[in-house]
Amino acid sequence: MSSFFSYDPLWTQTLTMPFMRNAFLAGLCIALSAGIIGYFTIARNSTFASHALAHIALPGATGAALLGVPIALGLGVFAVGGAWVIAALGKRAGEREIATGTVLAFATGLGLYFARMSSSASQQLQAILFGSILTITPDQIIGFAIFDAVLIILMCIVYRPLLFSSLDEQVAQAKGVRVGIMNALFMTILAGVITIAVPAVGTLLIFALVVTPAATSMIITNSPFKAIVMAMVLCLVSIWGGLVISTMFPAPPSFVIVTLSTLFWGIAKGVESVRNHRNGD
């Protein structure tokens, strides 16, 4: 038990090492994209899709390890491909849930099959499931930054129609918004965010970065723009705080990151409950 609560007196030196700088930069890039897409994920009632797409990307990662190609390539191909299949098969919310569950089940089985076929894929499986933010490379960070830049530019163009279709799909369609295109665009962006976030926290814990900070921010404010900005900040604090704490008290960074994200949500829910009680709701 004592080793579990050990303290590293040299933690400040560790924070200055190149791999830690890479982790902090990767955390910044992930927080920006996860904060943006997280709000729309909740507004569109697509939290299950965010969880599912991470698992749908699993066979892409294990398949890439099997073929000896970059893991990120396999993640991206399967995540985006799965997103398009779900968007095509699920025109309505109920249909999307069925399509998501069906694709998820098949992809999970395929991912485990690929892992059994190759020892290298099997060895990669734990990192894919739980992430490894401390092994992020400078080339990956460049890719993350490019993705963020494209995402921000795209959001400047489609923010209003995407928000409108997220909050009230039927009215948005009646007003001429191309709802089908917005659905496909949202799913594609979500797949892209998951592709860059999985190396940090893995497929099992991605929910804590994409959904939990956004859910916390939506408890605090009703403004979509403020909620998006706050989700980015909460996600960044969770990642950076998790990196610092896991360095001070050696522990898996993914675990600490997820714990902080969940803690912020729990505090926000507690404050909301007390406030509603006082107001008589």
Side-chain angles (χ1 to χ4, degrees):
M1 290 294 292
S2 59
S3 61
F4 182 80
F5 294 102
S6 63
Y7 171 75
D8 184 359
L10 301 178
W11 67 274
T12 54
Q13 297 180 23
T14 303
L15 290 179
T16 63
M17 294 182 177
F19 72 90
M20 288 300 301
R21 289 198 296 269
N22 290 342
F24 279 111
L25 289 174
L28 175 61
C29 293
I30 292 169
L32 288 174
S33 57
I36 292 173
I37 203 63
Y39 174 84
F40 292 103
T41 300
I42 296 176
R44 301 174 76 90
N45 296 316
S46 297
T47 53
F48 178 48
S50 68
H51 176 72
L53 281 179
H55 291 275
I56 291 170
L58 175 65
T62 54
L66 181 63
L67 297 174
V69 299
I71 299 296
L73 177 62
L75 280 170
V77 168
F78 269 73
V80 173
W84 288 350
V85 170
I86 292 170
L89 296 178
K91 301 298 183 183
R92 297 184 177 88
E95 294 176 346
R96 281 196 295 270
E97 292 293 301
I98 295 172
T100 301
T102 301
V103 176
L104 167 62
F106 173 74
T108 302
L110 187 62
L112 295 175
Y113 174 69
F114 285 160
R116 291 288 298 272
M117 289 181 64
S118 167
S119 59
S120 62
S122 182
Q123 292 168 3
Q124 289 280 353
L125 190 59
Q126 182 172 351
I128 296 165
L129 291 176
F130 297 101
S132 182
I133 194 171
L134 298 182
T135 61
I136 299 294
T137 66
D139 288 342
Q140 286 178 294
I141 295 172
I142 293 173
F144 296 169
I146 293 173
F147 178 84
D148 280 358
V150 172
L151 177 58
I152 291 171
I153 294 171
L154 186 60
M155 277 296 154
C156 291
I157 298 171
V158 303
Y159 176 77
R160 288 185 179 277
L162 183 60
L163 179 63
F164 195 6
S165 65
S166 299
L167 298 177
D168 197 327
E169 185 175 292
Q170 293 183 345
V171 175
Q173 190 169 22
K175 294 291 185 179
V177 175
R178 305 286 292 275
V179 172
I181 293 177
M182 290 298 106
N183 288 341
L185 179 62
F186 162 75
M187 292 297 293
T188 303
I189 296 173
L190 179 59
V193 173
I194 287 172
T195 299
I196 71 168
V198 161
V201 297
T203 60
L204 293 180
L205 307 177
I206 192 68
F207 196 91
L209 289 187
V210 173
V211 174
T212 307
T216 306
S217 69
M218 292 173 75
I219 294 173
I220 299 171
T221 179
N222 293 323
S223 166
F225 181 76
K226 290 181 180 178
I228 290 172
V229 173
M230 191 170 295
M232 292 180 189
V233 173
L234 289 170
C235 190
L236 182 62
V237 172
S238 297
I239 296 174
W240 282 7
L243 287 171
V244 172
I245 293 173
S246 64
T247 303
M248 294 175 64
F249 305 95
S254 297
F255 164 73
V256 185
I257 291 169
V258 170
T259 300
L260 287 178
S261 179
T262 305
L263 179 63
F264 294 148
W265 175 80
I267 292 172
K269 289 293 290 184
V271 171
E272 180 189 40
S273 178
V274 171
R275 185 174 58 203
N276 290 341
H277 180 73
R278 288 178 178 177
N279 293 336
D281 295 343

